[in-house]
Amino acid sequence: MLIDRFGRKIEYLRISVTDRCNFKCIYCFTRQNWKWLPHKEILTFEELETIVKTAVKLGIKRIRLTGGEPLLRKNIDILIKKLTQIPEIIDLSLTTNGFFLEELGERLKDAGLKRVNISLDTLNKDKFKKLTGVSAFEKVLKSIDIALDLGFNPVKINTVVIRGFNEDEILELAKLTLEKPIEVRFIEFMPIGENSLWNEECVVTVREIKKILESFSKLIPEFSCSGGPAKVFRWKNAKGKIGLISPISEPFCYKCNRLRITADGRLRPCLFSDYEINLKPILREGKGTLEEAFFWALKIKPIKHNINFTLKPMRAIGG
Ligand code: SAM
Ligand code: SF4
């Protein structure tokens, strides 16, 4: 069992399968002179499978594949298929920018993936281009319907709210839930990766977001059994749900149940701390065991995060 010094039971592993991305979101891709990891530094599917097989023996039950853009990883469906065959995993999910879902969605479904999170921060085509560096608003918007048509369930939308950029779109984005059976999740903007854009004023707190949402219609709390950080609500008669995630204004560290693996094979106990355990010497040179690494991660997992800049951007850590 993975229980840390503070009694938190660790059951959830987020795996970054690549640091590469086809978007350059202003809040994620900010570091100057960043170099992509050389291919040989990135964990192979076999190595990831070995890590996951150890992790499940220790109590990990939920896995999320992320990145960078996970759908840029060649043959990602093969990894998904391998992971879905591990019986202890009760939940396998993937976070994507949606760009490749039209092309790859069916293969992901066939491989056994049941659910996806798609990131979408704006419904304005020009803002989308400004935010991501890519003219792909229609394609990403369409990917939501593609995911629904393919039967992914739930389909969640991740929206990072940044003051002065998209807080004026909160209602419009949330109104997608009136017609679509999706969960739109509003996430407070976090200071990750030498992010020159971030300052406290840029953070629109969930309290503010809730007020805006309730100006349209009262939010009805929904029961959530996932144990995740989102507080989930629904507007009366809406087909979908609304999630609120408050890493800044109301941190949920006390119930944090996760560890992360970076694309280059570092076990990272906390999103906001650059302390990591390098798994590659274990996997490639037989130095130590993965079990020891997991237990060491529990020892160094902090009780709570300090808001300071991590050295790595989100896409290198795995958001
Ligand atoms: N490329 C995929 C995507 O965009 O969905 C997966 C990786 S991305 C790093 C995962 C999530 O992290 C996205 O939903 C993104 O919006 C979020 N994210 C990135 N930087 C963030 C920040 N500074 N604060 C809050 N969320 C952030
Ligand atoms: Fe790429 Fe996702 Fe980061 Fe945007 S948030 S740059 S899509 S990894």
Side-chain angles (χ1 to χ4, degrees):
M1 278 296 208
L2 293 172
I3 298 178
D4 79 356
R5 296 177 293 153
F6 308 104
R8 293 171 297 190
K9 198 168 158 195
I10 310 299
E11 295 186 328
Y12 182 21
L13 189 61
R14 291 172 81 104
I15 301 175
S16 171
V17 293
T18 179
D19 64 328
R20 285 158 171 75
C21 190
N22 55 324
F23 286 9
K24 289 190 172 60
C25 300
I26 48 172
Y27 51 69
C28 179
F29 198 97
T30 47
R31 202 162 173 215
Q32 302 277 316
N33 304 321
W34 176 265
K35 286 201 182 74
W36 301 122
L37 287 167
H39 280 292
K40 65 174 186 350
E41 294 300 323
I42 294 179
L43 293 186
T44 64
F45 286 171
E46 287 69 28
E47 288 169 335
L48 287 172
E49 200 185 345
T50 304
I51 293 171
V52 172
K53 282 186 171 159
T54 303
V56 297
K57 272 195 242 142
L58 298 173
I60 294 290
K61 293 192 172 73
R62 299 175 191 272
I63 307 267
R64 175 172 298 276
L65 301 179
T66 178
E69 175 45 45
L71 300 189
L72 274 180
R73 181 80 191 250
K74 207 169 162 211
N75 298 326
I76 184 77
D77 54 312
I78 293 181
L79 176 67
I80 291 171
K81 197 161 192 176
K82 284 184 171 162
L83 299 184
T84 52
Q85 282 159 6
I86 300 174
E88 292 89 345
I89 298 176
I90 57 168
D91 181 30
L92 176 69
S93 54
L94 177 133
T95 305
T96 173
N97 61 30
F99 189 88
F100 297 106
L101 261 186
E102 184 166 19
E103 194 183 318
L104 297 177
E106 208 161 321
R107 271 170 66 187
L108 303 178
K109 196 83 214 310
D110 291 347
L113 187 69
K114 301 240 166 13
R115 67 189 192 92
V116 288
N117 285 30
I118 300 170
S119 301
L120 180 67
D121 303 315
T122 174
L123 292 172
N124 177 305
K125 197 171 141 184
D126 298 329
K127 266 200 218 171
F128 186 95
K129 167 84 200 294
K130 222 162 125 192
L131 176 85
T132 64
V134 181
S135 296
F137 169 66
E138 283 90 356
K139 197 170 169 67
V140 171
L141 189 67
K142 191 172 161 205
S143 77
I144 299 174
D145 288 330
I146 290 171
L148 289 169
D149 289 347
L150 284 168
F152 287 113
N153 185 12
V155 174
K156 298 185 183 178
I157 309 304
N158 288 359
T159 301
V160 180
V161 187
I162 303 175
R163 196 179 308 284
F165 180 75
N166 63 350
E167 89 273 28
D168 56 333
E169 292 192 68
I170 289 171
L171 268 186
E172 217 186 321
L173 282 153
K175 281 181 186 172
L176 292 174
T177 68
L178 295 175
E179 295 306 326
K180 295 182 198 290
I182 56 178
E183 181 177 319
V184 177
R185 296 146 60 94
F186 295 102
I187 306 167
E188 288 174 352
F189 182 27
M190 296 184 276
I192 294 172
E194 293 182 5
N195 200 324
S196 54
L197 193 70
W198 193 90
N199 61 55
E200 272 180 52
E201 269 89 74
C202 281
V203 180
V204 184
T205 64
V206 296
R207 183 193 279 247
E208 291 174 78
I209 297 171
K210 207 167 165 204
K211 212 169 150 193
I212 294 170
L213 294 168
E214 295 216 296
S215 71
F216 174 71
S217 178
K218 195 174 156 22
L219 288 172
I220 305 159
E222 280 275 311
F223 173 73
S224 165
C225 58
S226 73
K231 288 186 186 131
V232 185
F233 303 87
R234 184 191 286 275
W235 276 325
K236 198 175 171 193
N237 298 329
K239 293 205 174 116
K241 303 177 194 176
I242 297 171
L244 300 178
I245 306 183
S246 57
I248 307 297
S249 67
E250 295 166 31
F252 30 81
C253 305
Y254 69 93
K255 62 170 189 179
C256 179
N257 65 350
R258 59 189 61 178
L259 295 173
R260 293 179 146 82
I261 308 269
T262 64
D264 58 345
R266 287 158 197 272
L267 182 57
R268 187 175 174 107
C270 175
L271 177 60
F272 287 93
S273 159
D274 279 326
Y275 285 111
E276 297 174 321
I277 300 158
N278 190 356
L279 302 181
K280 283 219 295 284
I282 302 174
L283 293 161
R284 297 187 181 176
E285 297 161 42
K287 289 185 180 160
T289 68
L290 290 172
E291 284 85 353
E292 282 164 359
F294 273 97
F295 286 116
W296 189 246
L298 294 187
K299 287 204 178 105
I300 61 172
K301 188 169 168 64
I303 178 70
K304 65 184 175 84
H305 66 64
N306 297 311
I307 288 297
N308 54 6
F309 292 99
T310 58
L311 289 173
K312 290 184 176 178
M314 191 71 141
R315 101 195 124 67
I317 301 167

CSV table of all heavy atoms in Angstrom, one decimal, residues 18-29 66-70 95-98 119 121 131-132 160 314-316 319, ligand 2:
chain,number,residue,atom,x,y,z
A,18,THR,N,5.1,12.0,-23.5
A,18,THR,CA,6.0,12.8,-24.3
A,18,THR,C,6.0,14.3,-23.8
A,18,THR,O,5.1,14.7,-23.2
A,18,THR,CB,5.6,12.8,-25.8
A,18,THR,OG1,6.5,13.6,-26.5
A,18,THR,CG2,4.2,13.4,-26.0
A,19,ASP,N,7.2,14.9,-24.0
A,19,ASP,CA,7.2,16.4,-23.7
A,19,ASP,C,6.8,17.2,-24.9
A,19,ASP,O,6.7,18.4,-24.8
A,19,ASP,CB,8.6,16.8,-23.2
A,19,ASP,CG,9.7,16.6,-24.2
A,19,ASP,OD1,9.6,15.7,-25.1
A,19,ASP,OD2,10.6,17.4,-24.2
A,20,ARG,N,6.7,16.6,-26.1
A,20,ARG,CA,6.4,17.3,-27.3
A,20,ARG,C,5.0,17.7,-27.4
A,20,ARG,O,4.1,17.0,-27.0
A,20,ARG,CB,6.8,16.4,-28.5
A,20,ARG,CG,8.3,16.3,-28.7
A,20,ARG,CD,8.7,15.2,-29.4
A,20,ARG,NE,10.2,15.2,-29.8
A,20,ARG,CZ,11.2,14.9,-28.9
A,20,ARG,NH1,10.9,14.7,-27.7
A,20,ARG,NH2,12.4,14.9,-29.3
A,21,CYS,N,4.8,18.8,-28.1
A,21,CYS,CA,3.4,19.3,-28.3
A,21,CYS,C,3.3,20.1,-29.6
A,21,CYS,O,4.3,20.7,-30.0
A,21,CYS,CB,3.0,20.2,-27.2
A,21,CYS,SG,1.2,20.5,-27.3
A,22,ASN,N,2.2,20.0,-30.3
A,22,ASN,CA,2.0,20.7,-31.5
A,22,ASN,C,1.4,22.1,-31.2
A,22,ASN,O,1.2,22.9,-32.1
A,22,ASN,CB,1.1,19.9,-32.5
A,22,ASN,CG,-0.2,19.5,-31.8
A,22,ASN,OD1,-0.3,19.2,-30.6
A,22,ASN,ND2,-1.3,19.5,-32.6
A,23,PHE,N,1.0,22.4,-30.0
A,23,PHE,CA,0.5,23.7,-29.6
A,23,PHE,C,1.6,24.4,-28.8
A,23,PHE,O,2.5,23.7,-28.2
A,23,PHE,CB,-0.7,23.6,-28.7
A,23,PHE,CG,-2.0,23.2,-29.5
A,23,PHE,CD1,-2.0,22.8,-30.8
A,23,PHE,CD2,-3.2,23.3,-28.8
A,23,PHE,CE1,-3.1,22.5,-31.5
A,23,PHE,CE2,-4.4,22.9,-29.5
A,23,PHE,CZ,-4.4,22.5,-30.8
A,24,LYS,N,1.5,25.7,-28.6
A,24,LYS,CA,2.4,26.5,-27.8
A,24,LYS,C,1.5,27.3,-26.9
A,24,LYS,O,1.5,28.6,-27.0
A,24,LYS,CB,3.3,27.3,-28.6
A,24,LYS,CG,4.4,26.5,-29.4
A,24,LYS,CD,5.4,27.4,-30.0
A,24,LYS,CE,6.6,26.7,-30.6
A,24,LYS,NZ,6.2,25.8,-31.7
A,25,CYS,N,0.7,26.7,-26.0
A,25,CYS,CA,-0.2,27.5,-25.2
A,25,CYS,C,0.6,28.5,-24.3
A,25,CYS,O,1.6,28.1,-23.7
A,25,CYS,CB,-1.0,26.6,-24.3
A,25,CYS,SG,-2.0,25.5,-25.3
A,26,ILE,N,0.2,29.7,-24.2
A,26,ILE,CA,1.0,30.8,-23.6
A,26,ILE,C,1.2,30.5,-22.1
A,26,ILE,O,2.2,30.9,-21.6
A,26,ILE,CB,0.3,32.2,-23.8
A,26,ILE,CG1,-1.1,32.1,-23.4
A,26,ILE,CG2,0.5,32.7,-25.2
A,26,ILE,CD1,-1.8,33.5,-23.3
A,27,TYR,N,0.3,29.7,-21.5
A,27,TYR,CA,0.6,29.5,-20.0
A,27,TYR,C,1.4,28.2,-19.8
A,27,TYR,O,1.6,27.8,-18.7
A,27,TYR,CB,-0.8,29.4,-19.3
A,27,TYR,CG,-1.8,28.4,-19.9
A,27,TYR,CD1,-1.6,27.0,-19.9
A,27,TYR,CD2,-2.9,28.9,-20.6
A,27,TYR,CE1,-2.5,26.2,-20.5
A,27,TYR,CE2,-3.8,28.0,-21.2
A,27,TYR,CZ,-3.6,26.7,-21.1
A,27,TYR,OH,-4.5,25.8,-21.7
A,28,CYS,N,1.7,27.5,-20.8
A,28,CYS,CA,2.3,26.2,-20.7
A,28,CYS,C,3.7,26.2,-21.3
A,28,CYS,O,4.6,25.6,-20.8
A,28,CYS,CB,1.4,25.1,-21.3
A,28,CYS,SG,2.0,23.4,-21.2
A,29,PHE,N,3.8,26.8,-22.4
A,29,PHE,CA,5.0,26.7,-23.3
A,29,PHE,C,5.7,28.0,-23.2
A,29,PHE,O,5.8,28.8,-24.1
A,29,PHE,CB,4.6,26.5,-24.7
A,29,PHE,CG,5.7,26.0,-25.6
A,29,PHE,CD1,5.8,24.7,-25.9
A,29,PHE,CD2,6.6,26.8,-26.2
A,29,PHE,CE1,6.8,24.2,-26.7
A,29,PHE,CE2,7.6,26.4,-27.0
A,29,PHE,CZ,7.7,25.0,-27.2
A,66,THR,N,-0.8,11.7,-20.3
A,66,THR,CA,-0.9,13.1,-20.6
A,66,THR,C,0.5,13.5,-21.3
A,66,THR,O,1.2,12.6,-21.8
A,66,THR,CB,-1.2,13.9,-19.3
A,66,THR,OG1,-1.2,15.3,-19.7
A,66,THR,CG2,-0.3,13.7,-18.2
A,67,GLY,N,0.8,14.7,-21.3
A,67,GLY,CA,2.0,15.1,-21.9
A,67,GLY,C,2.4,16.6,-21.6
A,67,GLY,O,1.9,17.1,-20.5
A,68,GLY,N,3.0,17.2,-22.4
A,68,GLY,CA,3.0,17.3,-23.9
A,68,GLY,C,1.6,16.8,-24.4
A,68,GLY,O,0.6,16.7,-23.8
A,69,GLU,N,1.6,16.6,-25.7
A,69,GLU,CA,0.4,16.1,-26.3
A,69,GLU,C,0.5,14.6,-26.5
A,69,GLU,O,1.3,14.1,-27.3
A,69,GLU,CB,0.2,16.8,-27.7
A,69,GLU,CG,-1.0,16.3,-28.5
A,69,GLU,CD,-2.3,16.1,-27.6
A,69,GLU,OE1,-2.6,16.9,-26.8
A,69,GLU,OE2,-2.9,15.0,-27.7
A,70,PRO,N,-0.2,13.8,-25.7
A,70,PRO,CA,0.0,12.4,-25.7
A,70,PRO,C,-0.3,11.7,-27.1
A,70,PRO,O,0.2,10.7,-27.4
A,70,PRO,CB,-1.0,11.9,-24.6
A,70,PRO,CG,-2.0,13.0,-24.4
A,70,PRO,CD,-1.2,14.2,-24.7
A,95,THR,N,-5.6,13.0,-21.3
A,95,THR,CA,-5.8,14.4,-21.5
A,95,THR,C,-5.2,14.8,-22.8
A,95,THR,O,-4.0,14.6,-23.0
A,95,THR,CB,-5.2,15.2,-20.3
A,95,THR,OG1,-5.7,14.7,-19.1
A,95,THR,CG2,-5.6,16.7,-20.4
A,96,THR,N,-5.9,15.5,-23.6
A,96,THR,CA,-5.5,15.9,-25.0
A,96,THR,C,-5.9,17.3,-25.3
A,96,THR,O,-6.9,17.7,-24.8
A,96,THR,CB,-6.0,14.8,-26.0
A,96,THR,OG1,-5.6,15.3,-27.3
A,96,THR,CG2,-7.5,14.6,-26.0
A,97,ASN,N,-5.2,17.9,-26.3
A,97,ASN,CA,-5.6,19.1,-26.8
A,97,ASN,C,-6.7,18.9,-27.9
A,97,ASN,O,-7.2,19.9,-28.5
A,97,ASN,CB,-4.4,20.0,-27.3
A,97,ASN,CG,-3.7,19.3,-28.4
A,97,ASN,OD1,-4.2,18.6,-29.2
A,97,ASN,ND2,-2.4,19.7,-28.5
A,98,GLY,N,-7.0,17.7,-28.2
A,98,GLY,CA,-8.1,17.4,-29.1
A,98,GLY,C,-7.7,17.4,-30.6
A,98,GLY,O,-8.5,16.9,-31.4
A,119,SER,N,-8.8,19.8,-23.7
A,119,SER,CA,-8.5,21.2,-23.2
A,119,SER,C,-9.1,22.2,-24.2
A,119,SER,O,-8.8,22.1,-25.4
A,119,SER,CB,-7.0,21.4,-23.0
A,119,SER,OG,-6.6,20.4,-22.1
A,121,ASP,N,-10.0,26.5,-23.9
A,121,ASP,CA,-10.0,27.6,-23.0
A,121,ASP,C,-10.9,28.8,-23.6
A,121,ASP,O,-11.1,29.8,-22.9
A,121,ASP,CB,-8.6,28.2,-22.8
A,121,ASP,CG,-7.7,27.1,-22.2
A,121,ASP,OD1,-8.2,26.4,-21.3
A,121,ASP,OD2,-6.6,26.9,-22.7
A,131,LEU,N,-3.8,32.1,-28.1
A,131,LEU,CA,-3.5,31.2,-27.0
A,131,LEU,C,-2.5,30.1,-27.3
A,131,LEU,O,-1.6,29.8,-26.6
A,131,LEU,CB,-4.7,30.7,-26.3
A,131,LEU,CG,-4.5,29.7,-25.2
A,131,LEU,CD1,-4.3,30.5,-23.9
A,131,LEU,CD2,-5.6,28.7,-25.0
A,132,THR,N,-2.8,29.4,-28.4
A,132,THR,CA,-2.2,28.1,-28.7
A,132,THR,C,-1.1,28.2,-29.8
A,132,THR,O,-0.3,27.3,-30.0
A,132,THR,CB,-3.2,27.1,-29.2
A,132,THR,OG1,-3.7,27.5,-30.4
A,132,THR,CG2,-4.3,26.8,-28.2
A,160,VAL,N,-8.6,26.5,-18.4
A,160,VAL,CA,-7.9,27.3,-17.5
A,160,VAL,C,-8.4,28.7,-17.6
A,160,VAL,O,-8.5,29.2,-18.7
A,160,VAL,CB,-6.4,27.2,-17.9
A,160,VAL,CG1,-5.6,28.1,-16.9
A,160,VAL,CG2,-5.8,25.8,-17.9
A,314,MET,N,4.6,22.9,-17.6
A,314,MET,CA,3.6,21.8,-17.4
A,314,MET,C,3.8,20.7,-18.4
A,314,MET,O,3.6,19.5,-18.1
A,314,MET,CB,2.3,22.5,-17.6
A,314,MET,CG,1.1,21.6,-17.1
A,314,MET,SD,1.0,21.4,-15.4
A,314,MET,CE,-0.7,21.5,-15.1
A,315,ARG,N,4.1,21.1,-19.6
A,315,ARG,CA,4.1,20.0,-20.7
A,315,ARG,C,5.3,19.0,-20.5
A,315,ARG,O,5.2,17.9,-20.9
A,315,ARG,CB,4.1,20.7,-22.0
A,315,ARG,CG,5.4,20.7,-22.7
A,315,ARG,CD,5.4,21.7,-23.9
A,315,ARG,NE,6.5,22.6,-23.7
A,315,ARG,CZ,7.7,22.3,-23.7
A,315,ARG,NH1,8.1,21.0,-24.0
A,315,ARG,NH2,8.7,23.1,-23.5
A,316,ALA,N,6.3,19.5,-19.7
A,316,ALA,CA,7.4,18.5,-19.4
A,316,ALA,C,7.1,17.7,-18.2
A,316,ALA,O,7.6,16.6,-18.1
A,316,ALA,CB,8.7,19.3,-19.2
A,319,GLY,N,0.7,17.4,-17.3
A,319,GLY,CA,-0.3,18.2,-16.6
A,319,GLY,C,-1.5,17.3,-16.2
A,319,GLY,O,-1.6,16.2,-16.7
B,2,SF4,FE1,0.5,21.6,-25.5
B,2,SF4,FE2,-1.3,20.9,-23.7
B,2,SF4,FE3,0.7,22.5,-23.0
B,2,SF4,FE4,-1.1,23.4,-24.7
B,2,SF4,S1,-1.5,22.8,-22.5
B,2,SF4,S2,1.1,23.6,-24.9
B,2,SF4,S3,-1.7,21.7,-25.8
B,2,SF4,S4,0.9,20.4,-23.5
